[in-house]
Amino acid sequence: MSILSGKNILLGITGGIAAYKTASLVRLFIKSGANVKVVMTPASKEFVTPLTLSTLSKNPVYSSFVNEDEDTAVWNNHVDLGLWADLLVVAPATANTLSKMANGVCDNLLLATYLSAKCPVYYAPAMDLDMYKHPTTVQSFDKLNAFGNIMIPATSGELASGLVGEGRMAEPEDIIAFIENDVLGKLPLRGKKILITAGPTYEAIDPVRFIGNHSSGKMGFEIAKAAANLGAEVILVSGPTNQTATHSLIQVIPVTSAQDMYNAVHSHFKTVDVAILSAAVADFKPKEVALQKIKKKSSSLVIELEKTKDILESLGAIKTKQYLVGFALETENELENAKGKLKRKNLNLIVLNSLNDKGAGFKSDTNKVTFIDDENTISAFELKSKSEVASDLLNKIISHI
Ligand code: CTP
């Protein structure tokens, strides 16, 4: 899955011959899973039709402040468009538009949207070689650079004038790759490796039966997704669950029992920066696993249980640089018990959820948590969706590592 998936991309098209390539660019953005809206300068409509772009982007195309095609005039709100965008990409960016952007000129909808947008702005210059080198163009680049706008450099090749040199707009595939790399490189967890456990474990009684629990795995999968969206490479060791992870930065290792989870976790722990153990691991397992299905011959059955290995505690005992996070599900003396676990298992952070809170814990889409760290800082949160809890947790971890 592309890092652009789910992002709102506003493509600003200006009047250069390279505008014909924006049909491919829109298609590639859509293919990457992004939502795309297009704003065109009036001149750009000479090179590519709004109909092509609205069909490909699956959205109306904007080009003037007032939509004159409607019976009653409709104002195209540049402020809303600017705020909608997670990324504004101006491609092709002509010398004229770049100069206007650099100088705050605001004589069309694209420029007004540019001034309203708070998101990162990318621009892909496209012009003839002498225009590209002209001191005023270079000055525009410098100014835009100082504003924090990001240039997707033009390439060298044959230009529309027939001359050969620098000034060709980067190819659509390269524009996408440039933006993906740039977005990824700026993510706070880029270069970090995170190990996460999720879901229940199943402890076999015989070939057809097991001891399990109601954990859905949702919390762990949300944490994995949030970590990957922040750029981390994620190893997700999961017990049996219906959850799925499609992000390219998430590697799922499916396991069944507590011992399988223990083995998988230990084979990766040394290489990770952070470990978050959110799985509901069985604390006990049958001492003997019957080789054949147990028959209901007798009126009662006693299964002797023995403790499973505590995976979290075993990591606390060997951790070096790793930031170690555990979960505690409590029903009484919540804070005290959680603090006890934090210490006993040598954790950096524990996420407490109490079964006394409505909407918290297993199966639900929400959770109500309290973070306690190794400096005894306690932060209690409202009931939130599990994806919001996941980003609160990762923000907390980012502030520490
Ligand atoms: N955990 C683990 N391995 C186990 C049991 C628990 O890694 N065999 C981890 C869980 O993933 C969780 C934390 O330990 O992060 C707390 O689990 P919990 O069941 O609340 O606590 P326990 O330490 O098992 O204590 P108790 O059941 O007595 O409350």
Side-chain angles (χ1 to χ4, degrees):
M1 195 174 77
S2 163
I3 194 73
L4 300 180
S5 175
K7 292 234 183 305
N8 291 340
I9 297 183
L10 187 60
L11 176 63
I13 304 178
T14 74
I17 180 64
Y20 83 91
K21 294 184 181 175
T22 56
S24 304
L25 187 57
V26 170
R27 211 176 58 80
L28 290 172
F29 276 135
I30 293 284
K31 220 171 141 194
S32 73
N35 309 307
V36 181
K37 289 187 181 179
V38 176
V39 187
M40 303 179 77
T41 63
S44 71
K45 292 200 277 187
E46 305 286 340
F47 297 95
V48 59
T49 72
L51 181 62
T52 306
L53 298 165
S54 67
T55 308
L56 291 170
S57 67
K58 303 182 178 85
N59 270 315
V61 166
Y62 307 90
S63 86
S64 60
F65 288 97
V66 177
N67 201 341
E68 287 125 12
D69 298 341
E70 307 276 333
D71 290 341
T72 44
V74 176
W75 182 52
N76 290 322
N77 188 336
H78 58 89
V79 179
D80 280 354
L81 272 176
L83 295 180
W84 173 84
D86 295 319
L87 302 174
L88 170 60
V89 182
V90 183
T94 57
N96 181 40
T97 291
L98 290 174
S99 164
K100 288 178 176 182
M101 284 163 64
N103 292 291
V105 178
C106 184
D107 62 0
N108 63 38
L109 184 67
L110 172 58
L111 291 163
T113 307
Y114 166 70
L115 289 178
S116 305
K118 292 182 185 163
C119 62
V121 176
Y122 295 86
Y123 63 95
M127 61 197 76
D128 211 52
L129 74 168
D130 295 317
M131 295 170 83
Y132 195 69
K133 284 199 198 111
H134 195 280
T136 80
T137 309
V138 173
Q139 202 176 45
S140 298
F141 293 154
D142 290 345
K143 273 194 181 179
L144 293 172
N145 188 28
F147 299 160
N149 299 167
I150 303 141
M151 177 160 102
I152 304 170
T155 59
S156 279
E158 191 178 335
L159 302 163
S161 61
L163 298 173
V164 175
E166 214 175 1
R168 270 167 75 103
M169 184 178 83
E171 291 302 324
E173 290 80 2
D174 298 330
I175 291 179
I176 303 265
F178 182 99
I179 296 172
E180 282 177 336
N181 279 335
D182 191 72
V183 170
L184 268 174
K186 286 178 180 147
L187 292 174
L189 290 176
R190 185 72 180 151
K192 299 282 180 209
K193 205 164 168 185
I194 301 192
L195 175 66
I196 296 168
T197 67
T201 62
Y202 288 177
E203 309 304 324
I205 297 171
D206 68 15
V208 294
R209 302 182 181 93
F210 60 84
I211 299 172
N213 61 62
H214 290 300
S215 169
S216 63
K218 272 182 199 151
M219 193 64 247
F221 274 71
E222 287 296 347
I223 298 169
K225 212 191 305 171
N229 283 337
L230 291 168
E233 186 189 334
V234 177
I235 298 163
L236 176 57
V237 180
S238 174
T241 160
N242 293 328
Q243 305 293 315
T244 50
T246 51
H247 202 293
S248 58
L249 287 172
I250 304 177
Q251 181 198 354
V252 182
I253 302 179
V255 295
T256 304
S257 67
Q259 184 63 46
D260 297 341
M261 190 172 272
Y262 179 96
N263 294 344
V265 162
H266 274 272
S267 70
H268 289 96
F269 185 63
K270 281 207 177 91
T271 67
V272 303
D273 304 285
V274 178
I276 305 170
L277 272 61
S278 68
V281 187
D283 288 327
F284 291 94
K285 63 176 181 177
K287 200 166 179 183
E288 305 288 343
V289 180
L291 291 177
Q292 303 300 331
K293 188 181 167 205
I294 300 171
K295 293 287 186 191
K296 52 177 183 297
K297 281 181 294 209
S298 53
S299 59
S300 67
L301 173 70
V302 175
I303 300 171
E304 195 183 344
L305 301 179
E306 65 178 6
K307 265 195 171 170
T308 56
K309 286 181 195 153
D310 189 316
I311 306 169
L312 184 58
E313 194 167 357
S314 69
L315 298 184
I318 58 165
K319 82 176 161 100
T320 49
K321 50 158 195 174
Q322 294 89 350
Y323 192 85
L324 185 57
V325 182
F327 273 66
L329 180 64
E330 304 293 342
T331 54
E332 55 177 356
N333 298 329
E334 290 98 340
L335 265 182
E336 242 168 82
N337 282 338
K339 281 184 190 173
K341 276 178 198 169
L342 177 88
K343 237 184 150 170
R344 195 171 68 249
K345 300 192 185 188
N346 190 26
L347 311 181
N348 299 98
L349 182 74
I350 193 152
V351 181
L352 161 66
N353 43 106
S354 161
L355 268 192
N356 297 324
D357 290 319
K358 260 200 165 153
F362 284 0
K363 281 196 167 166
S364 75
D365 287 327
T366 51
N367 209 351
K368 187 171 181 322
V369 298
T370 302
F371 298 158
I372 306 153
D373 69 19
D374 47 5
E375 283 158 0
N376 205 21
T377 309
I378 300 175
S379 343
F381 293 83
E382 294 305 307
L383 184 73
K384 291 185 176 195
S385 70
K386 284 186 172 169
S387 72
E388 286 172 305
V389 173
S391 46
D392 287 340
L393 175 59
L394 289 161
N395 286 338
K396 174 81 183 173
I397 294 170
I398 289 166
S399 73
H400 277 266
I401 60 174

